[in-house]
Amino acid sequence: MKDFYTIRVNFKGGIASPGELKNILLAAQESQVHEVRFGLRQQLILHLLHPFARTFEQKMILQSIDFQSDSNEFPNIISSYVAEEVFQKGNWLTEGIYKDILDLFDYKSLLKINLSDNQQSFTPYFSGHLNFIASENPNFWYLYIRLPKTNKVFSFDKLIFSNEIPKLCKQLEERILSNENPYLEDIEQLFLTVPTLISLPKENELEPANFTLPYYEGFNRYGKKTWLGIYRRNEFFSVKFLIKLCELCQETKIGEICLTPFKSLIIKGIDEVNRGKWSNILSEFNINVRHAANELNWQVEDDSDEALQLKLSLVEAFDKQDLRTFGLCFGIKTRPKTEVYASIMVQRRRFKLFNFIPFYFVYDISYTEDFNPNGRTKKYFEKSILRFNLAEQLRRNVLKYNKMIAENAIKTAGLRDDHKETEVERPSTKKVHQCKHCFTIYDADFGDLVNNIPAGIPFSKLPTSYICPTCEAEKKDFKAIEVKIEWMNM
């Protein structure tokens, strides 16, 4: 049993006030929290030891700050506000419009809501249940709905006016989560219930922007100001560092800190006269802001040390191979019900023998059509990969992408009319060989670790001297059988 609570604090749209963030961090520091993380949905995440829970709760209540303990019932409303000005320019969507919409949300949503600029690829389009994407018509948005517990995305036939978004979200949530009709199966029925609101006919389907992940670290000039991006390799930010960062924001009259879906921070609007102060605070806490791009282009599920260690191992393998990963975004999932934004996804699952006996962990590598992380059509590159072979298979998938780029075989990614996710057909059974004495299974997908036989060697190619790793029976005492395969989506 764990001895801590997992605390989540939502910052709508990924916009944190330095004053509010500082108060949260001071409460955490007084409760013996020394490091915090940020999440994919622009949340603050911290681990709070049980004895300090009451103290932390009282301080948060005094400041009227909501938080969730061991729960993520109210997922954060995320937005591409962080990309505005620094990664995208020239659109009608401004910082003021984002804030006007976010201010109109007067309830805590149970559904995931995304607000995205259609000219950027730094934040995800479709990882929410209610996904609003800016159209070419000023102040009007596309609406794409993904019902809970599904991966199909449906498009509404009208464009929604900016100020109607919060009201519409509340009404759609009530209908989607209603007790009488939970998780509506008929999306057309749901669309028919949309109330009268300010809208325009949708003349064209959305074309998602081509994916280009900007380098989101370090000091960067824009206009007459500078923005600073801060990423941490182990995902942890020192509470002391963040408190000083908030104080420097207040001192230099910077009114907001942006949380990114890559678990980093961006501070906009740094005046040139104050840049030295920002350099000093980075030096004081030994904060590196020049990591390799092939380390920054990863999305790892929240608060998962296993997934993070896997990422670091794969990045190290990429470094040794001197692999070009430009234009790609990688994701890692080791548990179900996580939404990760990726061109190439690594999913861990437990292979179950006979449909119920837990066996090894294996990994599946999938990718989106044309390798755009906003694409919804998924294809599998390889399945049931053992851990020792994962880096090599991932490398081959990257080489496939690079070959397609070289041959101009990557098309602009759009949404298919049916918005359905397609997969390579999965077999329901497989042929293995079983010892008739002890019932040990030889499966070519796993090989035999005891007898030093690598994965991929069929039973027919085993030497005649092969013996059962459990009871040492001879090879001739194995019988071919068919077993069911249980595929677990993560």
Side-chain angles (χ1 to χ4, degrees):
M1 182 179 175
K2 66 176 187 178
D3 59 355
F4 60 84
Y5 297 108
T6 299
I7 304 298
R8 286 180 170 84
V9 181
N10 288 345
F11 291 96
K12 280 195 295 189
I15 307 168
S17 154
E20 181 180 48
L21 180 57
K22 178 184 173 182
N23 289 336
I24 296 168
L25 293 167
L26 287 173
Q29 186 178 58
E30 292 177 26
S31 300
Q32 301 303 305
V33 175
H34 304 296
E35 294 179 313
V36 298
R37 281 170 155 161
F38 297 99
L40 297 174
R41 292 197 65 83
Q42 300 167 314
Q43 296 170 304
L44 173 69
I45 303 172
L46 60 92
H47 291 162
L48 182 67
L49 293 173
H50 290 161
F52 300 98
R54 184 60 180 160
T55 300
F56 180 81
E57 180 183 27
Q58 289 175 336
K59 291 184 178 299
M60 295 290 277
I61 291 173
L62 282 174
Q63 298 171 64
S64 301
I65 298 173
D66 288 332
F67 67 95
Q68 300 176 82
S69 178
D70 282 346
S71 167
N72 200 16
E73 182 182 9
F74 304 105
N76 194 29
I77 301 170
I78 69 169
S79 80
S80 55
Y81 177 88
V82 61
E84 182 60 33
E85 282 196 285
V86 299
F87 297 141
Q88 184 274 322
K89 297 179 182 178
N91 194 7
W92 58 264
L93 185 52
T94 64
E95 294 184 351
I97 293 174
Y98 280 111
K99 290 181 178 178
D100 287 344
I101 296 171
L102 293 169
D103 287 345
L104 289 172
F105 278 92
D106 58 359
Y107 74 104
K108 294 192 292 184
S109 177
L110 292 164
L111 295 180
K112 297 176 182 177
I113 299 171
N114 289 18
L115 300 173
S116 303
D117 192 328
N118 68 356
Q119 296 187 17
Q120 59 82 43
S121 55
F122 188 54
T123 65
Y125 287 9
F126 304 115
S127 63
H129 299 119
L130 305 177
N131 302 282
F132 294 89
I133 303 166
S135 75
E136 297 303 317
N137 298 82
N139 261 310
F140 284 88
W141 303 68
Y142 291 97
L143 168 60
Y144 291 89
I145 296 180
R146 179 177 61 85
L147 297 177
K149 301 182 181 179
T150 73
N151 200 33
K152 294 179 182 178
V153 177
F154 300 92
S155 174
F156 188 48
D157 63 2
K158 294 180 181 179
L159 302 178
I160 310 300
F161 183 64
S162 293
N163 289 357
E164 300 277 23
I165 289 175
K167 178 177 66 177
L168 177 59
C169 286
K170 189 173 186 178
Q171 292 167 335
L172 287 173
E173 180 169 310
E174 289 172 353
R175 287 162 173 75
I176 291 172
L177 301 183
S178 65
N179 293 328
E180 296 79 15
N181 195 9
Y183 304 123
L184 289 169
E185 295 293 334
D186 185 353
I187 193 70
E188 295 303 325
Q189 179 186 348
L190 176 62
F191 286 154
L192 288 173
T193 68
V194 172
T196 301
L197 42 73
I198 302 174
S199 63
L200 291 176
K202 185 177 68 177
E203 297 179 356
N204 300 302
E205 202 58 70
L206 169 74
E207 285 289 335
N210 288 331
F211 177 75
T212 304
L213 182 69
Y215 192 88
Y216 56 87
E217 236 198 342
F219 289 102
N220 301 270
R221 292 280 298 182
Y222 71 109
K224 295 182 179 180
K225 294 184 180 292
T226 296
W227 63 268
L228 168 64
I230 305 173
Y231 155 89
R232 301 299 290 154
R233 174 172 288 163
N234 66 359
E235 295 185 358
F236 285 105
F237 288 74
S238 156
V239 169
K240 286 184 178 179
F241 164 68
L242 290 178
I243 289 173
K244 282 211 167 184
L245 182 145
C246 291
E247 290 173 343
L248 185 53
C249 283
Q250 292 174 314
E251 177 189 337
T252 58
K253 295 182 171 53
I254 292 175
E256 59 197 25
I257 299 168
C258 293
L259 282 54
T260 86
F262 287 85
K263 304 182 181 181
S264 65
L265 300 178
I266 286 180
I267 296 95
K268 304 178 189 178
I270 297 174
D271 288 323
E272 191 62 29
V273 69
N274 293 318
R275 180 164 168 167
K277 295 179 180 180
W278 289 95
S279 292
N280 290 344
I281 192 174
L282 296 179
S283 297
E284 179 182 352
F285 290 91
N286 191 33
I287 304 294
N288 176 28
V289 290
R290 285 298 169 192
H291 294 88
N294 70 356
E295 181 176 347
L296 299 178
N297 60 347
W298 289 77
Q299 287 246 313
V300 177
E301 62 193 0
D302 286 345
D303 203 23
S304 173
D305 292 329
E306 287 180 306
L308 179 61
Q309 290 307 311
L310 179 59
K311 169 202 166 176
L312 296 176
S313 172
L314 293 172
V315 169
E316 183 179 5
F318 283 3
D319 282 340
K320 289 179 180 178
Q321 298 156 356
D322 202 18
L323 189 65
R324 175 182 170 85
T325 62
F326 179 80
L328 291 172
C329 175
F330 300 89
I332 294 180
K333 296 168 69 171
T334 65
R335 55 192 185 222
K337 299 180 181 178
T338 54
E339 281 288 334
V340 178
Y341 173 61
S343 313
I344 299 177
M345 183 72 69
V346 176
Q347 294 178 284
R348 188 183 75 172
R349 59 180 170 83
R350 179 82 74 174
F351 179 82
K352 290 190 176 182
L353 196 60
F354 301 125
N355 235 14
F356 67 91
I357 302 174
F359 221 46
Y360 301 103
F361 278 123
V362 294
Y363 299 83
D364 298 332
I365 297 176
S366 62
Y367 59 97
T368 58
E369 187 174 35
D370 293 318
F371 293 89
N372 189 323
N374 282 314
R376 302 304 298 180
T377 303
K378 182 170 70 175
K379 299 181 179 180
Y380 280 91
F381 179 77
E382 194 65 54
K383 300 176 183 177
S384 301
I385 305 165
L386 293 180
R387 174 64 186 87
F388 78 89
N389 198 33
L390 179 58
E392 172 59 19
Q393 292 298 327
L394 196 57
R395 182 185 75 88
R396 293 180 184 183
N397 198 185
V398 173
L399 292 179
K400 173 179 179 174
Y401 165 78
N402 287 338
K403 184 173 185 291
M404 292 174 70
I405 289 292
E407 296 175 351
N408 293 315
I410 299 288
K411 302 185 297 295
T412 300
L415 286 179
R416 294 182 175 272
D417 290 340
D418 57 6
H419 308 299
K420 292 181 180 178
E421 175 185 295
T422 59
E423 300 180 6
V424 175
E425 184 178 355
R426 297 176 169 186
S428 59
T429 63
K430 69 190 300 186
K431 183 179 179 181
V432 298
H433 288 77
Q434 185 177 50
C435 175
K436 69 180 183 180
H437 300 292
C438 67
F439 307 112
T440 293
I441 295 287
Y442 177 83
D443 185 339
D445 286 339
F446 300 101
D448 182 343
L449 297 178
V450 174
N451 287 313
N452 295 316
I453 296 172
I457 305 298
F459 188 80
S460 61
K461 299 295 185 182
L462 296 179
T464 55
S465 59
Y466 176 76
I467 59 173
C468 174
T470 303
C471 70
E472 300 187 349
E474 297 180 8
K475 180 181 177 182
K476 64 181 178 63
D477 290 334
F478 279 73
K479 290 185 177 181
I481 62 171
E482 292 280 336
V483 296
K484 291 183 178 181
I485 304 175
E486 179 183 1
W487 295 103
M488 296 178 62
N489 290 323
M490 298 298 286

